[in-house]
Amino acid sequence: MKGKIIKIVSNQYTVYSEGKAYDSLAMGKVRLQDKPIVGDEVEFELIDEKYCIQKILERRNQMIRPAISNVDQAIIVMSAVEPEFSNVLVDRLIFLISYNDIEPVIVITKMDLIDESNNIDEYIEDYRRSGYKVICTGFGDELIKLKEVLKDKVTVLAGQSGVGKSSLLNRLDKSFALHTQEISRALGRGKHTTRHTELYQVAGGWLADTPGFSSLDFSWIDSKVLIEKIKDFKIAESCRFNDCQHINEPDCAIKKGVEYGNISSLRYKNYLDVVPLCNQRKEWEL
Ligand SMILES: Nc1nc2c(ncn2[C@@H]2O[C@H](COP(=O)(O)OP(=O)(O)OP(=O)(O)O)[C@@H](O)[C@H]2O)c(=O)[nH]1
Ligand SMILES: [Zn+2]
């Protein structure tokens, strides 16, 4: 049978397959192959009345913190106000998420609190023009668009404190929200239980119970790889140099794109700001 690991507690693996959850064990050869993690697509069989994981299928991607594989999308939760909307923060998250081969989706909360003088619409337009999905929410909203986005996908939440992650979860699924509150309370007490990430069925998809990308550390990022992953920079034209960093090289297609307004100047500026933070780790530190 084929299934997906949705929970791991010590050597007990919960594998979900066609509407049912199976308590399973991992065979020695599987554990040697590569430690199974939550999100893994696996082959498993009933052997001597026990479900045994035989094989981990190739991972499309893999996050370290929390350890989850095959993540389809990361939702960047950012408030319109309180705390103030930060395009710098959103873009840094976009870069880190894209670097991990995960699709970023932006959810802007607290839209009910903005007044006319607010310029958030310009940011929203900018992200949409670049091809990013943006969902606006606020109190009183039924989250229909968000639910559509979650359906059939494996999703991780990201976003700073106070932007409204818990409120969103509460409105999406009460029992899931209670579960995540337990976790943050335990973490807040500094309790040394080994934290096990778990995938929960929410709105017809899978949502991780631990937020990701909480460290905005670029030191281990290879800027050459990052360039390839940023959606805004995927254009038909090419730069004069194959290894163009799009900083001050001549005949740079990206700089031209920014100049002619085809590439977001905001994203480009935020890219320039993270480049010096990249490539700080030595090979042996990774
Ligand atoms: N008006 C309004 N208030 C909101 C909205 N979303 C969240 N809030 C409020 O913003 C505050 C912070 O929301 P939380 O959901 O606790 O934020 P969080 O991202 O979970 O924060 P951490 O738990 O610290 O990570 C709370 O007082 C919420 O009631 C919204 O869409 N509209
Ligand atoms: Zn270039």
Side-chain angles (χ1 to χ4, degrees):
M1 290 191 282
K2 278 193 183 162
K4 178 197 285 299
I5 300 180
I6 55 168
K7 181 180 176 181
I8 304 176
V9 178
S10 57
N11 56 1
Q12 190 83 55
Y13 299 82
T14 308
V15 179
Y16 186 90
S17 177
E18 298 189 359
K20 277 178 75 178
Y22 300 86
D23 285 336
S24 313
L25 300 170
M27 307 299 281
K29 62 172 189 203
V30 169
R31 290 204 305 268
L32 289 177
Q33 177 199 346
D34 202 354
K35 214 166 137 316
I37 58 175
V38 166
D40 279 347
E41 301 287 345
V42 298
E43 284 173 8
F44 68 116
E45 302 294 340
L46 187 60
I47 299 173
D48 295 337
E49 296 177 17
K50 287 198 177 86
Y51 288 98
C52 299
I53 297 171
Q54 308 277 32
K55 191 177 173 196
I56 305 171
L57 305 184
E58 200 181 328
R59 293 171 182 150
R60 274 184 288 124
N61 57 36
Q62 182 174 348
M63 287 177 56
I64 310 284
R65 234 169 277 120
I68 312 181
S69 62
N70 303 318
V71 179
D72 293 306
Q73 56 191 4
I75 291 189
I76 301 169
V77 186
M78 171 56 78
S79 44
V81 287
E82 303 175 24
E84 207 55 50
F85 183 88
S86 161
N87 82 86
V88 171
L89 191 49
V90 171
D91 284 5
R92 289 191 176 198
L93 283 166
I94 286 179
F95 297 156
L96 289 174
I97 290 164
S98 307
Y99 189 82
N100 282 272
D101 296 315
I102 297 171
E103 181 72 21
V105 175
I106 303 161
V107 170
I108 304 178
T109 58
K110 311 197 190 186
M111 288 297 283
D112 55 306
L113 296 181
I114 61 171
D115 56 33
E116 259 114 73
S117 67
N118 198 289
N119 61 351
I120 190 109
D121 286 344
E122 286 166 34
Y123 288 116
I124 295 172
E125 255 315 292
D126 181 80
Y127 287 113
R128 289 191 173 146
R129 254 200 319 268
S130 303
Y132 297 101
K133 187 169 272 169
V134 183
I135 297 175
C136 298
T137 73
F139 281 173
D141 170 15
E142 287 177 40
L143 304 178
I144 292 167
K145 290 228 175 74
L146 180 58
K147 286 177 183 167
E148 276 169 12
V149 160
L150 294 174
K151 193 169 181 302
D152 299 327
K153 297 277 169 67
V154 175
T155 307
V156 170
L157 288 185
Q160 59 179 332
S161 180
V163 291
K165 295 184 297 297
S166 322
S167 306
L168 276 183
L169 295 177
N170 247 320
R171 289 185 286 147
L172 278 172
D173 187 320
K174 282 252 154 44
S175 64
F176 179 72
L178 280 174
H179 168 77
T180 56
Q181 275 163 25
E182 282 298 311
I183 295 172
S184 52
R185 229 175 280 142
L187 289 176
R189 282 200 301 267
K191 218 170 112 184
H192 272 287
T193 48
T194 327
R195 266 287 302 125
H196 297 285
T197 304
E198 206 174 321
L199 289 175
Y200 270 74
Q201 230 162 5
V202 174
W206 295 101
L207 191 54
D209 63 358
T210 324
F213 303 98
S214 44
S215 132
L216 291 167
D217 181 9
F218 278 80
S219 63
W220 55 279
I221 297 278
D222 179 340
S223 61
K224 287 205 179 74
V225 177
L226 177 63
I227 289 169
E228 311 273 312
K229 310 274 179 164
I230 298 176
K231 204 193 290 250
D232 306 71
F233 296 171
K234 289 180 185 166
I235 54 169
E237 298 89 296
S238 40
C239 305
R240 186 203 293 188
F241 300 109
N242 276 336
D243 61 348
C244 187
Q245 297 269 309
H246 318 315
I247 300 175
N248 40 33
E249 295 90 339
D251 289 334
C252 169
I254 299 298
K255 276 198 296 182
K256 265 195 207 118
V258 174
E259 199 180 314
Y260 296 142
N262 301 324
I263 293 176
S264 160
S265 56
L266 283 173
R267 209 97 51 254
Y268 180 64
K269 182 196 170 295
N270 288 331
Y271 159 74
L272 290 181
D273 287 346
V274 301
V275 172
L277 309 176
C278 297
N279 314 318
Q280 301 297 313
R281 296 285 172 101
K282 305 275 179 302
E283 198 81 41
W284 47 265
E285 280 183 300
L286 294 172

